[in-house]
Amino acid sequence: MKFSCLTIFPEIFDCFFNMSIAKRAIDAKAFSMQVYNIRDYTIDKHKRTDDYPFGGGAGMIMTAQPIFDCFSDVENNQVGEKINIYMSPKGKILDTKTAKDLAEYDYINILCGHYEGVDQRVIDSLIDEEVSVGDYILTGGELPALVLIDTVMRFIKGVLGNEVSSEDESFSNGLLEYPQYTRPAEFRGLSVPEVLLSGHHENIEIWKRQMSILETFKKRPELLKSAKLSEDDIKFLNLIKAQK
């Protein structure tokens, strides 16, 4: 898997890919990363990558020429399954399923917009998917691109130390994750639930499942409509609702 990011602010990516899980995964060759500076591809003598929009309007628009030429360089010699993504508030919302699907590609090329967006001809000609990280506006596409990379890379084999970690987190099974605790067993009068100290694995798994359902019911009840629930899950959910 290779990520390529097209941006006018390449420095934003330096910290992320030189720290923690991302750096270890790159060093282990679980995936690779390359950042392209769109300014390097502009033919404008002042290195501008934006201009005024036709028809008027506030702000500036990123011009097509440097983005087209940058993509040409990015895609050169890419052999395999690739997808070109534009981080945009108009795109589909990034979720776990999307992240898992994207992790199957050999190449993910991400365009980071700025100003008031990019020339529509870029989107029409080069972009396969527009993706949003939420219903809000940011000053550029770099932070959303990092969010996308962070969530996708967790589904790439060899990135996480514990290969089951990505299967045991919030949203992985349609529910929020259960509460977790670590040592000491008692801290400032607050105790870890007894079941977690019991060593009874079956009871612990039942508790985790029930707490996931409870957390989801309290914080994101809409997720329960599409979650896969067993008969025991439904009984527990009905008990919660009756006690509300």
Side-chain angles (χ1 to χ4, degrees):
M1 157 75 78
K2 180 178 181 178
F3 293 100
S4 296
C5 287
L6 295 72
T7 173
I8 58 174
F9 294 107
E11 301 84 0
I12 292 176
F13 294 88
D14 291 345
C15 180
F16 179 82
F17 291 106
N18 283 287
M19 294 180 64
S20 190
I21 294 175
K23 184 179 188 306
R24 291 199 301 270
I26 290 173
D27 289 344
K29 294 181 170 49
F31 70 88
S32 62
M33 176 68 200
Q34 189 165 357
V35 179
Y36 293 79
N37 189 341
I38 296 172
R39 294 186 193 277
D40 293 340
Y41 296 86
T42 182
I43 59 174
D44 182 87
K45 65 179 181 180
H46 300 295
K47 294 295 183 181
R48 290 184 304 182
T49 58
D50 62 292
D51 210 331
Y52 295 101
F54 283 122
M60 306 289 276
I61 304 296
M62 292 183 71
T63 55
Q65 175 271 314
I67 298 176
F68 267 79
D69 288 353
C70 188
F71 261 111
S72 180
D73 197 12
V74 170
E75 295 177 321
N76 187 35
N77 296 325
Q78 285 189 347
V79 179
E81 292 293 319
K82 71 175 180 65
I83 184 169
N84 294 340
I85 293 174
Y86 173 46
M87 305 309 300
S88 165
K90 295 191 291 185
K92 64 182 291 187
I93 297 294
L94 177 63
D95 58 15
T96 298
K97 181 182 183 305
T98 300
K100 285 183 177 179
D101 291 343
L102 289 175
E104 298 299 318
Y105 283 89
D106 299 304
Y107 302 93
I108 300 179
N109 306 320
I110 309 171
L111 172 61
C112 305
H114 250 274
Y115 312 117
E116 294 301 312
V118 305
D119 190 303
Q120 184 64 36
R121 289 167 290 190
V122 170
I123 299 171
D124 294 341
S125 301
L126 301 175
I127 300 301
D128 301 307
E129 190 84 65
E130 294 184 66
V131 178
S132 170
V133 294
D135 295 332
Y136 47 85
I137 306 297
L138 297 171
T139 55
E142 287 77 18
L143 291 178
L146 287 170
V147 170
L148 183 143
I149 293 169
D150 191 88
T151 189
V152 171
M153 75 180 190
R154 299 176 71 83
F155 295 103
I156 299 174
K157 186 176 180 180
V159 170
L160 298 181
N162 183 349
E163 293 300 330
V164 301
S165 292
S166 62
E167 300 174 7
D168 200 29
E169 297 175 328
S170 292
F171 308 112
S172 61
N173 59 5
L175 300 172
L176 300 185
E177 192 175 20
Y178 50 84
Q180 299 199 67
Y181 303 83
T182 188
R183 288 175 284 191
E186 185 169 334
F187 177 71
R188 296 187 178 182
L190 303 172
S191 300
V192 174
E194 284 294 329
V195 64
L196 298 179
L197 307 175
S198 67
H200 195 298
H201 297 297
E202 183 178 354
N203 287 347
I204 290 172
E205 290 305 312
I206 292 172
W207 179 88
K208 288 180 177 179
R209 181 67 177 181
Q210 290 181 344
M211 291 305 100
S212 285
I213 294 170
L214 179 60
E215 287 287 287
T216 307
F217 177 76
K218 291 191 299 185
K219 299 175 181 177
R220 294 289 303 278
E222 74 279 6
L223 295 176
L224 291 167
K225 295 178 181 179
S226 56
K228 294 180 180 180
L229 301 177
S230 67
E231 289 186 11
D232 287 339
D233 292 338
I234 294 172
K235 288 179 181 178
F236 180 72
L237 180 58
N238 288 336
L239 179 64
I240 295 171
K241 291 179 178 178
Q243 294 175 344
K244 184 180 178 181

